[in-house]
Amino acid sequence: MSLRVIFMGTPDFSVPTLMEIVGQGHDVVACYSQPPRPAGRGMDLKKSPVHEAAESFGIPVFTPKSLKGEEEQAAFAALEADVAVVVAYGLLLPKPVLDAPAFGCLNLHASMLPRWRGAAPINRAIMAGDTETAVQVMRMEEGLDTGPVCMSETLAISENMTAGELHDRLAPLGGDLMVRALAALSRGALGEQPQAEEGVTYAAKLSKQETRIDWSKPAGEVHNHIRGLSPFPGAWCEMPLGGKGERVKILRSALADGEGAPGTVLETGDVPVIACGGGAVRLVEVQRAGKKPMSGADFLRGASLSDGTVLD
């Protein structure tokens, strides 16, 4: 049965779910997304990926800065939706909005709840060294990702998987999961399982202050930090290049043998090998300021980095 759906989302991660819902023949009566933001060198206003995708389907798009006002809430209720689907929208939904659709609001969340409630579950799972995660459809409540779980799909996180790679695996998996949930909802067969009270963790929004690499940590933690922030915002360190310190992003690493003072370059034969506070990491892919990403080998061919150099 076709449902009247309000879709609420903003980034690239949300787009596959919107496309699946449209493709399954549901009536998406409106899309809500974050307002256009200044971007690029000219700082022109840029629409979100969901905004652009919705317009390509001819779906009306609304971009309120808040849903707390009575006027916005009345406009939302007037759409008379069966259900609202929320995927990384970016605004909290007040109770009048949560209660407006006939069957409530369903959220697609990229973690194994109650682990990693909050804004950055993909990054935090990798940074913590988790070996598996999930996408889950959850019925929304007023609390932060506290509602009962309706459907779930797990996914293994391999040793060298980056946040970008995990994002790209979870996004289409989540789209498929959500349309299956909507099909079950339309039949009156969508079950719910309350979240466990134990094991709650919070995936705080990433901050610039935590992107700098701390070489004094064990190699495993440094490696997880690098891949959990790749490709964006990117973990970085300072290297003495061209007679001055230069900020270099490390986009991909691998665990390596070796011991030394933290931050010391142990090898420069193939790719740079850097000592950590126990063990070492290979710099597999890096990005110098203002340049494109390059392999560690290509980086060494253009940078005067020698054994014994200490990175900051």
Side-chain angles (χ1 to χ4, degrees):
M1 183 181 74
S2 175
L3 297 171
R4 284 179 60 85
V5 178
I6 297 172
F7 188 84
M8 311 179 81
T10 298
D12 288 323
F13 183 82
S14 315
V15 174
T17 302
L18 173 60
M19 295 179 68
E20 285 285 349
I21 292 172
V22 172
Q24 290 296 317
H26 294 291
D27 181 15
V28 182
V29 296
C31 262
Y32 278 71
S33 193
Q34 289 283 301
R37 308 287 193 207
R41 292 184 178 180
M43 297 302 286
D44 295 327
L45 292 179
K46 182 175 177 58
K47 297 173 182 177
S48 76
V50 164
H51 191 150
E52 292 184 342
E55 286 189 336
S56 73
F57 289 120
I59 300 169
V61 179
F62 300 96
T63 59
K65 293 182 179 179
S66 171
L67 291 169
K68 295 179 180 179
E70 291 184 5
E71 185 175 341
E72 285 293 348
Q73 292 172 7
F76 186 90
L79 293 168
E80 298 183 337
D82 293 317
V83 62
V85 171
V86 183
V87 187
Y89 175 39
L91 287 182
L92 291 175
L93 305 190
K95 194 171 189 305
V97 171
L98 293 172
D99 292 343
F103 299 121
C105 301
L106 298 180
N107 175 247
L108 183 72
H109 189 74
S111 83
M112 197 174 294
L113 294 166
R115 186 164 177 79
W116 303 127
R117 294 174 178 171
I122 293 175
N123 306 88
R124 297 297 177 187
I126 291 182
M127 292 169 76
D130 292 1
T131 57
E132 66 175 358
T133 189
V135 279
Q136 297 186 323
V137 174
M138 171 194 69
R139 183 170 294 283
M140 296 182 71
E141 300 177 341
E142 287 187 88
L144 179 62
D145 298 330
T146 58
V149 174
C150 304
M151 297 183 77
S152 180
E153 284 283 353
T154 60
L155 183 69
I157 303 175
S158 61
E159 180 182 11
N160 294 317
M161 182 179 283
T162 66
E165 291 167 340
L166 182 56
H167 169 283
D168 291 348
R169 292 282 303 277
L170 289 175
L173 189 64
D176 177 71
L177 186 69
M178 182 58 77
V179 293
R180 286 158 49 197
L182 292 180
L185 180 68
S186 70
R187 301 192 304 268
L190 185 63
E192 298 180 4
Q193 180 66 41
Q195 293 184 35
E197 296 182 3
E198 301 79 27
V200 176
T201 59
Y202 289 95
K205 186 177 179 180
L206 299 173
S207 67
K208 291 182 180 179
Q209 289 72 26
E210 63 183 319
T211 56
R212 188 167 190 162
I213 297 170
D214 183 354
W215 299 110
S216 69
K217 291 185 176 180
E221 292 185 25
V222 172
H223 176 56
N224 292 340
H225 182 248
I226 289 169
R227 64 196 185 98
L229 295 176
S230 177
F232 182 83
W236 62 277
C237 66
E238 281 196 359
M239 297 187 183
L241 302 174
K244 61 179 182 179
E246 180 181 322
R247 180 181 292 201
V248 178
K249 285 186 179 182
I250 313 301
L251 300 178
R252 195 178 294 273
S253 59
L255 297 176
D257 295 327
E259 296 289 341
T264 301
V265 178
L266 300 179
E267 296 180 28
T268 55
D270 181 13
V271 298
V273 177
I274 314 301
C276 303
V281 296
R282 294 161 52 88
L283 306 189
V284 178
E285 185 178 17
V286 306
Q287 184 175 16
R288 297 182 68 171
K291 297 188 177 182
K292 295 180 179 180
M294 66 185 78
S295 69
D298 287 343
F299 168 71
L300 283 178
R301 281 191 280 270
S304 55
L305 195 67
S306 57
D307 293 2
T309 301
V310 179
L311 311 184
D312 189 7

